Amino acid sequence: MKQNIKKLSYFLLSIFVILLFYLTYITFQQGEALATHPQNRRMAAKEAAIIRGTIYDRQGVSLAETKWQGQAGQRVYQTVEHVFPSAHVVGYVSERYGSSGLEAAYSKELLGLTEADAVENLLDKILNRTPRGNDLILTLDASLQSRALALLGNRRGAVVALDPRTGAVLAMVSSPAFNSNTLKDPEVWNQLNKDEANAPLLNRATQGAYPPGSVIKLVTGAGILTNQVDQPEKTIDCPGYVIIDGNKIADNQVHHQVNFSKALAVSCNTYFAQEGVKLGWHNLLNTFEKFGLNQNPHLEIPVRAGTFAAAERRNKSQLAETSFGQGDTLLSPLHMALACAAIANHGTIMKPYLVKEIRKPEGQVVRVTESTPWLTATTPEIAGLITQGMVGAVDWGTGSGASLRGIKVAGKTGTAETKNTQDPTSAPHAWFVGFAPADNPQVVVAVIVEKGGSGSKVAAPIARDVMAAALSGK
Amino acid sequence: MLANLRKEERSLLYYITAFLAVGVLVLYLGQPEFNTVYELALGSGYKLPFWWFVVMLSIGTMAGFWLISAYWRVAGFKCDPYLMPITASLTALGLIFLFRLRPQYAERQFAWLLFGLVALVIITTLLRKMDWLEDYKYIYVAAGVILLVLPIFFGREQYGARSWLDLGLFQLQSSEFVKLLLVMFLASFLAENRRVLSAGSDQLWGISIPGIREYGPLVVMWGISLLILVFQKDLGTALIYFCTFLAMIYAATARMFYVSAGLLLFFLGGTVAYYIFDHVQARVDIWLNPWAYSSGKGYQIVQSLFALGSGGLFGSGLGQGLPGLIPAVHTDFIFSAIVEELGLVGGCAVLVLYMCFIFRGFMIALNARNDFTALLATGFTALMGLQTFIIIAGVIKLLPMTGVTLPFISYGGSSLVANFVLLGMLLNVSHEVNQGNETEY
């Protein structure tokens, strides 16, 4: 019988060893997933006990801060006339609806839960202090933000302004904006989500997908010059239309003799269609890629990379249309601003960024974002030639609506057709990209007004005011 | 050597006192602002500061264990010196977590602990000579059946199981005590019949075919387990009864026939129960995929898994986690709370403590002087081990969850007292061993 008891004891002890192994398995194999599972309320509870850091604009204006009331905090966002102009960039944080924008991307920093904060957090625990996260100082300018949003008014659209020398994003607004403070009301939340026509929660500046229209000519132009399809001085005759592959493509008017520079200034579709076809699909797409149009600049908020005609649709007339910004091309305002920044910054695109600094609540700097080059899009010479054409556009061409007194402005308008079989009378998207001062660029602006009309009349004046505000603000 | 048994026991108790003190201190440092006045539930509303209440209960607990050790020394009781300290450490851990989770339950648990300790003293005093217990096996059966049947007629349903007897002042879960009677009955029955049962009477084509005498007990036991399942809806208890029975009959006869036939019957009964009883089916479905029911009937096990996963290697720290999110965390799911706050390390330490208990229990059984006491020790140890395994496997989702308590740690009065009775019986066997064999240990 002793033998049996021994065997039984081995059995019982070994099932406990199984428990030991299984518990270890849970801890190491499933622990991370279980600890961060969305239904696990521990993360939320932990976060709720931390005073979330403040988000400031570049001038120190508070965009989002937590007002601590005893046991819990309330996140308060800046409002200008009942909306938060930076709502899409800063985003929101809600127990019920999760988080978005920089609130989501910098959650760890704002909560002070990065590895660098470990010592501080331990001290907080020991001293029983309410932990407070780090502050963000953005590159955005709050007054420029509200100015840009006011300029868009009640029209749908977006404005992106950045410093081409550093990549710092000075303004990024999407209209319509919303009031982040009211999201906790389920009714408001549902309304914002249901409004498909206006899609107020969509950040049009980075996630909008628009045909670029003539503003793409900056990039096509760089491709033409880089691949030496024709000399910039060479002129062609524009009869007001061009026939590609038997399809007649109408131009906006008869431009007569146009060279490269004039073609940019007057936005001649005939020139770019013809030269684009000569350039060919391979070189055109190559140029688009060099300008980062189909790439994600990793801005830390969601960005939709641009898309072009699918491989099976790449015929000659699609090529001509793509060259002047129609066809299947869909881009975001951010991508157009970055492409324009390449021209402004001698061919180099600096990596765009939104967060300038991360600071501890006491003011000690944790991290400073250093500006780094992102892409080399073209050469300084070609950038210079394109700038000439863009200056011409503002001085005497299509972009005159963007001219500023005493400051040389370079710009390019775009009027992207949105007509299709379902909506044959749809108004075009109004585009403008440009920079100022043209000889020493400090600000690049991209403006789109959805179905707003012509780029010259609608988008150029908005860009002018944004550039003026950005330059005077410095 | 023998003279040192109690000394060894007491020095271990000092370590456990330090452990309890550190636990209380950590709780205190974790929330010094928590200085509410605690109103005694059992002391007719007497009020005292919360931390005084905690300290008094802690001192009371350790003093209780220490006094028993001192009493044993005076009374010349020569039991195993490790079992009681193991029990004391589990009890202390349980108290720490009850202070932290539900202080009102800590108070009740302490009251039950006093009953348990008194029961331990009585048993180690009166039942030291155990041989006569072998003669009353049918009284155990009768008492057991009465205790089992009472709640069916007078019982209250709680946590989905109908096994509580309402005695006005407190409630008693009679099945906790029936477990002990079951082991005592089986030990005496098997000690008398083991030779007959191991031999096998008939043979058919060279294979021994068991007669009615052999599979009779098996079928009866299976029936009793099923009855508990049907009438008390108590899956865990039924499982423990049946597994303990299999363990003891294996120890007595060494015939795998019983184990395999028993398991076969078990799966048969389990399958039928799965299709007939909703609560059995629910338990199994939740076990297979709790995430599909994470906001409904699977909520508890999912919360338990969250707690386990959030602990990591060293846990969130005592008082720093959120085990309160698990429903019934102070009874069935207390192990998840321990793992969340003390980590994998703490969870493994608890498991190792139970393994030590089982090891000592089987050592006693192996050294027992006759079949009856050997089987008694084997049965009690197996009972303790199986119950622990079943509940821990349940909360970590290794097996379907069945609501039973974690011995000595979970809140549960009947369970605590019954476990101290079990401890007392085991210690009596070890006293007998040590008395007869002075060179042992």
Side-chain angles (χ1 to χ4, degrees):
Chain A
M1 197 166 78
K2 291 211 162 137
Q3 281 307 313
N4 315 342
I5 295 175
K6 257 188 195 164
K7 279 183 195 161
L8 182 65
S9 72
Y10 296 150
F11 171 75
L12 263 176
L13 289 172
S14 59
I15 60 176
F16 271 77
V17 173
I18 293 174
L19 286 182
L20 288 172
F21 278 120
Y22 191 71
L23 198 61
T24 312
Y25 164 78
I26 288 185
T27 306
F28 290 115
Q29 284 299 308
Q30 307 182 336
E32 184 74 29
L34 287 168
T36 57
H37 192 281
Q39 281 174 26
N40 188 344
R41 279 182 277 162
R42 282 170 185 76
M43 274 309 272
K46 196 175 170 190
E47 288 172 11
I50 299 172
I51 307 175
R52 206 177 169 87
T54 305
I55 302 178
Y56 295 105
D57 87 331
R58 61 188 302 123
Q59 320 274 14
V61 177
S62 154
L63 299 177
E65 64 182 310
T66 293
K67 298 247 158 68
W68 196 250
Q69 290 144 336
Q71 288 296 306
Q74 202 192 346
R75 198 73 170 155
V76 180
Y77 296 94
Q78 181 211 33
T79 49
V80 178
E81 293 181 7
H82 310 299
V83 291
F84 178 26
S86 312
H88 301 93
V89 178
V90 171
Y92 52 81
V93 55
S94 147
E95 248 176 65
R96 193 175 315 188
Y97 306 118
S99 55
S100 78
L102 292 175
E103 290 271 36
Y106 282 85
S107 197
K108 272 195 167 171
E109 286 81 1
L110 286 165
L111 290 166
L113 294 177
T114 60
E115 276 165 33
D117 299 305
V119 177
E120 190 93 356
N121 290 339
L122 191 67
L123 270 175
D124 283 340
K125 219 176 212 178
I126 292 169
L127 300 173
N128 204 38
R129 296 185 298 209
T130 306
R132 192 188 183 287
N134 299 319
D135 296 339
L136 300 187
I137 289 101
L138 305 189
T139 56
L140 296 181
D141 184 314
S143 60
L144 195 60
Q145 288 284 90
S146 49
R147 181 94 184 95
L149 189 66
L151 288 166
L152 285 169
N154 52 14
R155 294 170 291 191
R156 282 169 290 156
V159 173
V160 175
L162 39 88
D163 186 333
R165 299 163 299 180
T166 60
V169 179
L170 304 173
M172 181 176 276
V173 295
S174 175
S175 173
F178 53 93
N179 183 352
S180 311
N181 295 310
T182 58
L183 291 183
K184 45 184 174 278
D185 182 355
E187 218 165 279
V188 174
W189 175 260
N190 288 336
Q191 216 174 345
L192 288 172
N193 275 285
K194 266 193 275 174
D195 188 356
E196 277 175 28
N198 290 312
L201 292 175
L202 175 73
N203 185 4
R204 291 175 158 75
T206 59
Q207 291 178 289
Y210 301 105
S214 300
V215 290
I216 201 69
K217 287 171 187 166
L218 307 180
V219 183
T220 312
I224 292 165
L225 297 181
T226 309
N227 295 284
Q228 297 180 320
V229 174
D230 267 320
Q231 290 305 309
E233 301 80 35
K234 193 201 163 190
T235 58
I236 64 154
D237 182 59
C238 166
Y241 63 89
V242 61
I243 293 170
I244 305 284
D245 243 11
N247 293 325
K248 182 174 170 181
I249 302 172
D251 206 337
N252 42 19
Q253 65 181 85
V254 183
H255 297 112
H256 307 294
Q257 291 295 309
V258 287
N259 63 7
F260 180 81
S261 189
K262 187 184 171 191
L264 265 182
V266 300
S267 199
C268 176
N269 284 352
T270 306
Y271 182 90
F272 283 95
Q274 281 186 7
E275 299 294 307
V277 169
K278 281 192 214 163
L279 184 64
W281 272 113
H282 177 75
N283 289 334
L284 184 64
L285 292 178
N286 213 3
T287 311
F288 284 173
E289 192 169 333
K290 274 186 168 171
F291 275 79
L293 296 185
N294 59 347
Q295 295 183 49
N296 188 335
H298 299 294
L299 194 58
E300 285 159 324
I301 57 173
V303 173
R304 180 194 181 275
T307 49
F308 314 117
E312 66 275 10
R313 283 174 60 89
R314 286 181 196 156
N315 55 30
K316 220 177 200 181
S317 59
Q318 177 76 247
L319 175 59
E321 285 177 7
T322 303
S323 302
F324 60 83
Q326 295 290 156
D328 295 350
T329 309
L330 292 173
L331 296 175
S332 77
L334 173 69
H335 281 98
M336 276 323 302
L338 290 170
C340 188
I343 308 301
N345 195 40
H346 316 295
T348 303
I349 308 177
M350 302 303 286
K351 189 177 180 317
Y353 62 96
L354 286 160
V355 177
K356 204 164 86 166
E357 260 177 48
I358 300 172
R359 276 191 214 158
K360 286 208 178 298
E362 310 84 56
Q364 190 191 341
V365 176
V366 180
R367 199 171 86 198
V368 178
T369 309
E370 284 179 28
S371 54
T372 49
W374 182 43
L375 294 171
T376 304
T378 185
T379 64
E381 292 73 35
I382 291 172
L385 285 168
I386 295 170
T387 305
Q388 275 176 26
M390 291 171 72
V391 169
V394 175
D395 281 353
W396 49 268
T398 53
S400 56
S403 66
L404 286 169
R405 188 175 299 171
I407 298 168
K408 210 195 237 181
V409 176
K412 181 77 204 78
T413 56
T415 306
E417 288 304 333
T418 60
K419 291 192 192 108
N420 55 31
T421 45
Q422 281 131 31
D423 193 358
T425 58
S426 176
H429 294 320
W431 271 101
F432 185 90
V433 297
F435 54 90
D439 39 17
N440 175 28
Q442 292 173 23
V443 58
V444 166
V445 173
V447 175
I448 182 162
V449 181
E450 257 178 54
K451 301 189 177 175
S454 98
S456 334
K457 291 201 185 84
V458 177
I462 297 176
R464 175 194 63 207
D465 289 359
V466 171
M467 284 190 282
L471 291 174
S472 69
K474 290 196 173 183
Chain B
M1 277 293 274
L2 271 181
N4 289 333
L5 284 181
R6 301 279 74 79
K7 204 175 159 193
E8 174 117 37
E9 189 172 75
R10 276 201 308 282
S11 68
L12 284 173
L13 283 176
Y14 297 140
Y15 287 116
I16 295 156
T17 310
F19 165 72
L20 181 58
V22 169
V24 169
L25 190 67
V26 168
L27 278 183
Y28 174 72
L29 291 176
Q31 39 185 182
E33 75 274 18
F34 193 71
N35 50 10
T36 47
V37 170
Y38 183 80
E39 191 178 321
L40 287 181
L42 301 174
S44 60
Y46 181 76
K47 285 177 188 160
L48 75 170
F50 178 74
W51 292 110
W52 278 115
F53 157 77
V54 170
V55 169
M56 278 171 56
L57 257 57
S58 307
I59 292 174
T61 303
M62 291 323 296
F65 282 108
W66 190 88
L67 284 172
I68 287 178
S69 181
Y71 160 73
W72 283 345
R73 186 186 176 175
V74 174
F77 190 56
K78 292 169 185 158
C79 68
D80 181 285
Y82 304 112
L83 275 174
M84 191 183 74
I86 293 170
T87 314
S89 54
L90 294 171
T91 310
L93 184 66
L95 264 183
I96 290 172
F97 271 86
L98 286 177
F99 286 142
R100 184 247 173 284
L101 294 167
R102 310 274 153 95
Q104 299 85 348
Y105 285 104
E107 187 190 341
R108 289 169 163 275
Q109 182 84 336
F110 179 71
W112 283 110
L113 177 68
L114 295 181
F115 277 110
L117 293 177
V118 168
L120 184 61
V121 169
I122 292 173
I123 286 185
T124 53
T125 309
L126 298 182
L127 300 182
R128 270 190 217 177
K129 281 211 64 69
M130 305 189 83
D131 300 338
W132 60 274
L133 286 172
E134 202 179 342
D135 303 333
Y136 295 95
K137 51 181 171 288
Y138 295 105
I139 290 184
Y140 307 143
V141 177
V145 168
I146 291 169
L147 278 176
L148 268 185
V149 169
L150 274 179
I152 297 173
F153 297 107
F154 306 103
R156 281 170 32 123
E157 193 165 320
Q158 239 179 335
Y159 310 116
R162 191 183 184 86
S163 49
W164 267 267
L165 265 182
D166 199 345
L167 297 182
L169 195 62
F170 55 93
Q171 293 165 5
L172 210 63
Q173 201 174 7
S174 56
S175 60
E176 293 286 348
F177 297 97
V178 178
K179 279 178 212 167
L180 307 176
L181 291 170
L182 171 76
V183 171
M184 288 166 73
F185 163 72
L186 284 173
S188 41
F189 177 82
L190 291 169
E192 191 181 286
N193 300 306
R194 59 181 280 259
R195 271 165 234 295
V196 186
L197 290 170
S198 7
S201 47
D202 302 315
Q203 287 219 335
L204 188 65
W205 301 309
I207 306 165
S208 72
I209 294 298
I212 181 81
R213 239 194 111 103
E214 295 171 87
Y215 59 78
L218 192 66
V219 173
V220 167
M221 196 56 222
W222 180 65
I224 291 175
S225 301
L226 275 185
L227 284 178
I228 295 167
L229 188 67
V230 174
F231 288 106
Q232 300 196 337
K233 296 186 183 173
D234 196 339
L235 199 62
T237 307
L239 194 61
I240 291 167
Y241 281 19
F242 197 64
C243 290
T244 307
F245 164 72
L246 288 184
M248 287 184 75
I249 203 163
Y250 173 77
T253 65
R255 288 185 69 179
M256 282 311 283
F257 158 75
Y258 285 112
V259 179
S260 42
L263 287 176
L264 192 76
L265 278 174
F266 171 78
F267 282 111
L268 211 70
T271 315
V272 171
Y274 177 83
Y275 287 107
I276 294 178
F277 303 117
D278 289 344
H279 65 284
V280 178
Q281 193 166 8
R283 292 273 166 101
V284 175
D285 290 347
I286 293 164
W287 173 60
L288 290 174
N289 183 13
W291 303 100
Y293 314 100
S294 62
S295 57
K297 50 189 179 176
Y299 183 80
Q300 206 175 21
I301 190 75
V302 163
Q303 291 301 322
S304 169
L305 287 175
F306 285 158
L308 295 171
S310 304
L313 187 56
F314 295 108
S316 62
L318 192 57
Q320 304 300 316
L322 285 174
L325 292 173
I326 315 168
V329 67
H330 60 293
T331 57
D332 300 357
F333 282 88
I334 202 159
F335 185 73
S336 306
I338 294 172
V339 175
E340 176 178 357
E341 300 209 325
L342 304 183
L344 175 65
V345 173
C348 288
V350 171
L351 285 172
V352 169
L353 274 176
Y354 282 111
M355 289 170 81
C356 292
F357 189 103
I358 293 165
F359 175 74
R360 293 312 298 177
F362 279 119
M363 286 302 281
I364 292 169
L366 285 171
N367 290 309
R369 296 171 67 199
N370 59 43
D371 284 357
F372 171 64
T373 49
L375 280 169
L376 207 57
T378 304
F380 284 134
T381 309
L383 175 64
M384 173 68 68
L386 287 167
Q387 173 155 355
T388 308
F389 174 79
I390 285 170
I391 182 60
I392 291 182
V395 302
I396 67 177
K397 206 183 81 73
L398 182 63
L399 291 179
M401 178 66 195
T402 51
V404 292
T405 54
L406 185 59
F408 298 114
I409 297 185
S410 286
Y411 169 73
S414 318
S415 156
L416 191 68
V417 174
N419 283 324
F420 273 104
V421 172
L422 184 153
L423 175 69
M425 300 296 277
L426 262 182
L427 292 178
N428 280 344
V429 179
S430 98
H431 167 73
E432 221 174 51
V433 171
N434 289 349
Q435 214 178 23
N437 189 357
E438 295 277 326
T439 53
E440 198 82 30
Y441 296 92

